[in-house]
Amino acid sequence: MTEGTRAQGPGAPRAGTALLTVLLIAMGVGPLLNYGLSATSDLLIRELGVSAGQFGLLVTVLFVSAAVSSMVIGRLADVLSIRAQLIFNYGGTVLALLVSAIGPAYWTLVVACVIVGPAQVIANPTTNRVIYSAVPAARRSGWIGVKQSGVQASQLVAGLLFPAAALWAGWSGAAAAAAVGVLALLWWSLRHIPPEDPTDWRAVRRVLADRFRRRGVSTASLPLQVWLFAAVAFFSGMGTQATNVYLPLFAVRDHGYSLLVGGLAAGLSGVVGVASRIYWGRALGAGRRPGTLLLLISTGALVGMACMAASAVWTQPALFWAGVVLHGLTVLGTNVVVNAGTMQAVDATRIGAASGTTTMGMYAGFAVGPVGMGAVVELTGGFVLGWILVGAAYAVLFGLALVMVRTGRRPAG
């Protein structure tokens, strides 16, 4: 069966606006907790009486939970129905938000972060699988760009709403309100996915049994490109989350902005990130090679970190806002390139396993970045060295892009 036939088969979802909106929302609900924590970081640090390093550990716990579960979640995404995956994604997010609303206390936030990790990680394999089965090959990159922008739309919503809600009703009120909103989105999303076959629970049990016995689809069978994309996801993820988590705190502490303006900075980065992800997706759809786009992304990301570090040294607000915009324009688009490239590298039977592998790399980077930045801030009392180290991660990303460009030019065989 050809890709075009598969995309248009009688059991495939309809590739329309409603389905694309469902995919965008599915990508956005999972990160609401971590973006909400980041946007209200200064308030929570003072309320909980914790250090910046301890606060960064919260997000690290979240992403460790996601990374550990990503491989088995990727395999489950190949056998669970889309309806079941959406309930897992949205439902896990609701549970995590409600647990975080208890107190708030540091331990409840830790438990919430553990819960939301697997719920967040399933979004990528789920949405990739839908696009692979429902969308003609020529349109997939564009769809990936739009659905990945859901993550930055979540960053925008959290950056604008969580600080205001937390100042009015405290963190507990903000988290509870977000949980109600996610439940409403789940109701809408389930009404806009087409009929499908129910989940084959025997296949689910086989996947879980094989995973516990260290069997199943071997990752050794995945092509080199998938492992390169996993490395790209790791180093870009380190810098992305170190910046996302500490950007509002940096705005408040080093530049003297209010909590609302700190959240606005994160929101602005998210707005730019939405547009950039759509742009990078369209560039891929127009035939640009992933390695070439990653060279552009990593170069811009390096300039952005230079602006961040310089703004801290010379207290220049213009450089700070330039760094915010460059962060959104460049590295926030990396995941579009990774997902589209991964989809091109494997066939339909391995899309979940391949997505799980690259997702594991991404979440491992997400876990390392915030705790590393938090430790640096604790040790040095500032952010300059942290931004320099993020720039070093982007330099490695530049090197990986060069490798991808060179391997892409080699003749077959």
Side-chain angles (χ1 to χ4, degrees):
M1 184 181 291
T2 65
E3 287 183 351
T5 305
R6 187 184 300 112
Q8 301 301 322
R14 293 184 298 274
T17 303
L19 181 61
L20 181 58
T21 305
V22 170
L23 300 184
L24 186 147
I25 294 171
M27 291 299 302
V29 295
L32 273 176
L33 177 62
N34 37 300
Y35 285 138
L37 290 171
S38 173
T40 56
S41 56
D42 187 62
L43 177 68
L44 280 172
I45 286 171
R46 286 187 282 107
E47 239 183 64
L48 299 174
V50 298
S51 67
Q54 288 173 306
F55 180 80
L57 187 60
L58 286 173
V59 184
T60 295
V61 167
L62 189 159
F63 291 130
V64 167
S65 173
V68 168
S69 62
S70 61
M71 295 298 288
V72 67
I73 291 292
R75 294 292 296 122
L76 286 173
D78 286 328
V79 293
L80 285 171
S81 69
I82 301 303
R83 181 175 296 270
Q85 293 179 58
L86 290 180
I87 292 172
F88 185 89
N89 180 11
Y90 292 52
T93 302
V94 168
L95 178 60
L97 285 166
L98 291 177
V99 168
S100 78
I102 301 171
Y106 190 74
W107 72 269
T108 62
L109 295 180
V110 171
V111 173
C113 288
V114 172
I115 292 171
V116 85
Q120 189 173 130
V121 83
I122 201 171
N124 243 356
T126 300
T127 52
N128 285 349
R129 173 183 157 191
V130 172
I131 290 174
Y132 198 99
S133 64
V135 182
R139 297 172 56 200
R140 287 176 190 160
S141 295
W143 271 59
I144 290 173
V146 173
K147 69 100 173 174
Q148 290 296 141
S149 70
V151 177
Q152 265 48 69
S154 176
Q155 185 178 16
L156 168 63
V157 170
L160 294 179
L161 298 185
F162 265 89
L167 287 172
W168 178 60
W171 168 263
S172 296
V180 172
V182 172
L183 280 175
L185 291 172
L186 173 60
W187 174 82
W188 186 89
S189 297
L190 292 178
R191 288 172 58 88
H192 288 83
I193 59 172
E196 59 177 336
D197 294 331
T199 297
D200 182 353
W201 292 106
R202 287 176 299 179
V204 172
R205 286 194 293 271
R206 281 197 300 272
V207 167
L208 292 175
D210 288 344
R211 181 62 184 165
F212 288 127
R213 294 169 188 163
R214 303 291 181 185
R215 296 205 318 256
V217 175
S218 172
T219 55
S221 65
L222 296 173
L224 173 63
Q225 296 97 310
V226 172
W227 295 106
L228 285 172
F229 282 127
V232 165
F234 175 77
F235 286 101
S236 64
M238 283 177 59
T240 295
Q241 285 306 326
T243 306
N244 285 345
V245 170
Y246 283 98
L247 181 62
L249 190 64
F250 177 57
V252 172
R253 290 193 176 179
D254 278 41
H255 290 280
Y257 291 122
S258 68
L259 186 71
L260 291 176
V261 175
L264 178 63
L268 174 61
S269 180
V271 170
V272 177
V274 168
S276 77
R277 288 190 166 195
I278 294 172
Y279 169 78
W280 296 118
R282 288 180 176 174
L284 284 163
R288 301 292 295 274
R289 292 178 180 272
T292 303
L293 296 183
L294 288 172
L295 282 176
L296 295 173
I297 286 172
S298 56
T299 300
L302 281 167
V303 175
M305 283 305 105
C307 288
M308 286 290 194
S311 78
V313 172
W314 292 298
T315 319
Q316 288 292 325
L319 289 174
F320 167 75
W321 291 106
V324 169
V325 171
L326 283 169
H327 175 64
L329 280 175
T330 58
V331 74
L332 292 186
T334 307
N335 211 12
V336 176
V337 180
V338 169
N339 277 274
T342 301
M343 199 171 293
Q344 294 169 5
V346 297
D347 57 28
T349 62
R350 294 188 294 172
I351 191 67
S355 295
T357 301
T358 56
T359 300
M360 180 181 66
M362 178 182 70
Y363 281 111
F366 283 1
V368 171
V371 72
M373 176 68 93
V376 169
V377 172
E378 287 293 304
L379 287 171
T380 65
F383 288 86
V384 177
L385 180 59
W387 298 134
I388 292 172
L389 292 176
V390 171
Y394 294 157
V396 176
L397 178 61
F398 183 87
L400 288 168
L402 284 175
V403 172
M404 296 183 75
V405 168
R406 295 191 64 178
T407 55
R409 288 173 179 169
R410 290 176 184 171

